[in-house]
Amino acid sequence: MTTESLVRTEELRIYFPVRKFFGTVGEVKAVDGVNLSIGRKETVALVGESGCGKTTLGRALLGLVKPKSGKIFFDGTDLTILSERELKLMRRRMGVVFQDPYASLNPSFTVYRIVEEPLVVNKIGSKEERREMVLKALEEVKLNPAEFFASKYPHMLSGGQRQRVAIARAIITKPEFVVTDEPVSMLDASIRVEILLLFREIQKKHGVSFLYITHDLATAKYFSDRIAIMYAGRIVETGPTKAVLSEPLHPYTQALIDAIPDPDPSNRFVMRKIPPGQPPSLVNPPKGCRFHPRCPFFMQGKCDVLEPPMYRVGVERFSACFLHEEKVTIK
Amino acid sequence: MDDIEPNDALLSVKNLVLHFTTSRGIVRAVDGVSFSVRHGETLALVGESGSGKSSTALAIIRLLPRNVAAYRGSIIFEKMELMNLDDEEFRKRVRVGGISMVFQGAMNSFNPVLRVGFQVAEPLIVNLGVPREEAYKKAEDALELVGLERSVAQRYPFELSGGMKQRALIAMALITNPKLLILDEPTSALDVMTQANVMNLLKKLKKELGLTYIFITHDLALASELADRVAVMYGGLMAELGPSDELYPKPRHPYTELLINSVPFLRQDKEPTFIRGSPPDPIEPPIGCRFHPRCPYVIKGKCDVSTPPMFKADGEHWAACWLLEEK
Ligand SMILES: Nc1ncnc2c1ncn2[C@@H]1O[C@H](COP(=O)(O)OP(=O)(O)OP(=O)(O)O)[C@@H](O)[C@H]1O
Ligand SMILES: Nc1ncnc2c1ncn2[C@@H]1O[C@H](COP(=O)(O)OP(=O)(O)OP(=O)(O)O)[C@@H](O)[C@H]1O
Ligand code: SF4
Ligand SMILES: [Mg+2]
Ligand SMILES: [Mg+2]
């Protein structure tokens, strides 16, 4: 694993109380023992089905949710023990881009005001300096001419342009780390590629680290260095993206890949392989390996009893599955 | 262009136009589109957002918003010109046992306080006057057909997962025994596994019931899961139409080619690229070929002057591009 990590979690757990009527009846274990690291200038894709805990994990890395236990290091500092004021200072070094550019941009603000806001909130620069920074950020996300776009309102822009505004806002404070949560899933294929290339360009220029949250393995393949596959609150596999996708180790990773078609006319003659059942409830997840009720390699008495540790299965390849038991355990 | 139309067509659409009035001007959502669908085949209707896919479908089943500015062309279904039917005839001959549709985003349109069974049964009750009890039984049958338990009929929408709701919508569309089923982005709100599950169901129903589909999606990969032929729309017009086996490996319209290049392949290593420029303005589309401002092969003085007709590339493969003119 990258020694020079900018962001790193240790056995991170985030539980949400489930309330019914007057009492608390349980907990949603949204993130349940996650070790993840993101290196400097690295993009890590976090992939998994709806509800597996990706957004919660991403928000935790930004210091926006209080974990139940575990640690979150940002540039060596443990965020979980910081005061709200100290956290706020740390957050200046981070940025975020959400899925829905409609919902995340204030409709009554001009583009100028939206992009300027983080500077105002953090009391950065004079009015003139801020103006220069806003226009530069708009140019950087290719909203040219910047002055023209600065005066627009979100509803006057296309989906792709709105997402560019969100990106300009995220990078204006020159963050070292940006969480992008499904940033392109509502966009057309071509615009997706355009936006993802923009992230790549920003990374090259400013050395930013990205967490790219998505359920789309195909874009993750081309736009991330490493990938982490998440299932029911846990990371089941990590490794260099292309290696993981061409030779998946964990049965769940394999199942995810099998579910996704490439454009290929012969697809219509075959049924897709899908594991039976649904992802489990995070209130009462299955004992042992959380994937065991759906896994084709399930070993009774083992997978349903013990929690598989992360096995190191090759250079930078990790998989939490008992099928790798003979390999060395490192975590 | 007549020979695009196979003789055994179940549906044959010619020069279909659907325009809308807006404060900015006339939106030319569908601007003269022709295609046909054979018995038992699946035609995928693909194209980027705003290209006119849903509008084409709504024009076919005559579910029009109030601000229609123009609605014309020919829609022949089972040798019957639908444009000549009055609304009552249309309801009797098309809505029941003719054409059904699963609407884009319909998962959120379930009535939250009504049991799923009655909602699935509704087309029978409304269009055929079938008694409620009998319709409810039929709804249970339909739910079973799409792989749900009969007891799902008794449940309320909020008790169903996304995949179950989508199946229930398909059951609702199938309950009138349609010959043609139009599916508008039926899986785009679903997770990859649930999506694959629904696609498997559609494949199975196609095989077992001999259904004919128009499958609308912006996703070329997903389209290949069902399509025998593909129709590519761009800016309210048909850009390309051809058998999947030819169109995917050898697209003939530059737009289709670039669209395929923008898809990230999982099983091949090929950097995706994007299409420069932006989609055409539906109110004032570019003159000539609507794709010309973005096309790398543009022929000056031609593509920006006159609109290319559909040219035959070969066999049943057609594309509206001047590069094919000699053929
Ligand atoms: N504030 C909250 N309170 C209670 N439960 C929550 C809260 N936020 C998330 N959850 C629950 O935690 C689990 C993980 O949610 P999360 O949003 O992190 O998933 P996700 O992987 O981002 O899903 P999606 O792909 O749908 O965005 C879900 O069961 C969700 O309902
Ligand atoms: N009722 C309406 N009034 C005005 N314009 C409309 C109306 N319905 C659709 N449009 C416009 O018509 C064009 C075609 O829209 P349509 O919904 O058919 O596209 P689509 O290909 O289905 O797109 P998507 O992939 O986003 O569903 C768009 O420019 C759209 O904004
Ligand atoms: S640990 Fe066992 S149950 Fe879990 S994925 Fe591996 S083989 Fe399947
Ligand atoms: Mg999320
Ligand atoms: Mg549509």
Side-chain angles (χ1 to χ4, degrees), chain A residues 41 136 139-142 198-208:
Chain A
K41 299 177 194 142
K136 213 168 141 237
E139 272 161 27
E140 199 153 358
V141 298
K142 308 206 165 56
L198 178 62
F199 284 130
R200 189 187 280 171
E201 196 182 305
I202 289 168
Q203 175 164 66
K204 275 219 181 98
K205 211 154 136 199
H206 302 292
V208 185

Side-chain angles (χ1 to χ4, degrees), chain B residues 79-121:
Chain B
K79 307 204 161 40
M80 166 170 66
E81 177 54 78
L82 302 191
M83 287 302 203
N84 295 336
L85 302 182
D86 65 30
D87 285 352
E88 182 56 23
E89 283 174 320
F90 192 92
R91 190 175 64 80
K92 275 203 217 126
R93 307 179 69 166
V94 183
R95 296 252 152 80
V96 181
I99 308 175
S100 284
M101 179 158 168
V102 175
F103 296 93
Q104 183 168 14
M107 251 162 66
N108 306 317
S109 67
F110 275 106
N111 182 337
V113 296
L114 206 59
R115 289 182 200 278
V116 170
F118 284 113
Q119 302 195 51
V120 170

